[in-house]
Amino acid sequence: NAGVTQTPKFQVLKTGQSMTLQCAQDMNHEYMSWYRQDPGMGLRLIHYSVGAGITDQGEVPNGYNVSRSTTEDFPLRLLSAAPSQTSVYFCASTSLQTSGSSDTQYFGPGTRLTVL
Amino acid sequence: QQQVKQSPQSLIVQKGGISIINCAYENTAFDYFPWYQQFPGKGPALLIAIRPDVSEKKEGRFTISFNKSAKQFSLHIMDSQPGDSATYFCALRANFGNEKLTFGTGTRLTIIP
């Protein structure tokens, strides 16, 4: 049981390049989300998904796209990277129990992205 | 609009002392208040959490105190150890059934010998 995995661990991009950050979980969790972490700003929600085929925007969605074709995978796409997207990105997942909610979100190890 | 304010930004405590981190929030539509611990180079991990129907929760050396009327909650680490040195985030979950978490800005805790 690997939990939440993210690839790559590190990435350097030039302004205007595109890339996809990968996230996978093997816990059969319905809910998955992407956060970015910047110094002094905590973690901010980018996009989230409550199940395959369902995604929605979080607090800071601009410049990012997501899709959820399977329960396991939730990739984050940067369409045209900008220096303001330099950050550490975390994927998280949790189970939605029959009550529709759960308490523990499990985070991946993060992807450190630098945009030059 | 920042819904949760966390303080202090950084904290240095001597080994064996008590570490206290505070969070204040701005509205009452939250049903779950977790604290996450993050070590350098790692993702955050749930440390302890409380629901608004209790005023205190203790797990080992970690205690959450919750003041619903003041809209504040705090993390107390008793007998702080060097291994507790990490960044701590408070968080809020709004509306039962919605998993979205709003995080505080984090507190970098350093425990010195």
Side-chain angles (χ1 to χ4, degrees), chain A residues 34-111:
Chain A
W34 277 101
Y35 292 88
R36 60 177 289 173
Q37 182 175 21
D38 302 291
M41 302 191 74
L43 291 100
R44 293 180 292 168
L45 183 65
I46 304 172
H47 285 286
Y48 66 98
S49 169
V50 297
I54 306 170
T55 64
D56 206 347
Q57 297 181 349
E59 181 185 353
V60 288
N62 292 341
Y64 307 96
N65 274 2
V66 292
S67 59
R68 185 97 179 268
S69 56
T70 67
T71 299
E72 296 78 17
D73 301 298
F74 190 43
L76 178 72
R77 280 183 290 276
L78 281 70
L79 304 175
S80 178
S84 61
Q85 294 179 303
T86 294
S87 187
V88 182
Y89 291 85
F90 289 100
C91 179
S93 75
T94 191
S95 170
L96 296 176
Q97 299 165 351
T98 53
S99 62
S101 180
S102 183
D103 288 346
T104 302
Q105 291 207 19
Y106 297 89
F107 283 79
T111 294

Side-chain angles (χ1 to χ4, degrees), chain A residues 9 31 35 37 40-43 45 48 57-59 90 94-96 99-110, chain B residues 1 9 31-32 34 36 38 41-46 49 51 87 89 93 96-106:
Chain A
K9 283 189 76 72
Y31 183 90
Y35 292 88
Q37 182 175 21
M41 302 191 74
L43 291 100
L45 183 65
Y48 66 98
Q57 297 181 349
E59 181 185 353
F90 289 100
T94 191
S95 170
L96 296 176
S99 62
S101 180
S102 183
D103 288 346
T104 302
Q105 291 207 19
Y106 297 89
F107 283 79
Chain B
Q1 178 185 358
Q9 197 170 21
D31 71 340
Y32 178 65
Y36 279 79
Q38 184 182 29
K42 304 292 185 183
L46 180 66
R51 295 189 182 279
T87 300
F89 294 94
R93 186 181 69 192
F96 186 81
N98 182 333
E99 297 302 323
K100 290 195 288 184
L101 292 176
T102 300
F103 283 86
T105 52

Side-chain angles (χ1 to χ4, degrees), chain B residues 37-48:
Chain B
Q37 181 187 54
Q38 184 182 29
F39 294 105
K42 304 292 185 183
L46 180 66
L47 180 65
I48 187 173

Side-chain angles (χ1 to χ4, degrees), chain B residues 23-39:
Chain B
C23 280
Y25 58 99
E26 295 182 345
N27 68 54
T28 57
F30 300 112
D31 71 340
Y32 178 65
F33 301 83
W35 285 90
Y36 279 79
Q37 181 187 54
Q38 184 182 29
F39 294 105

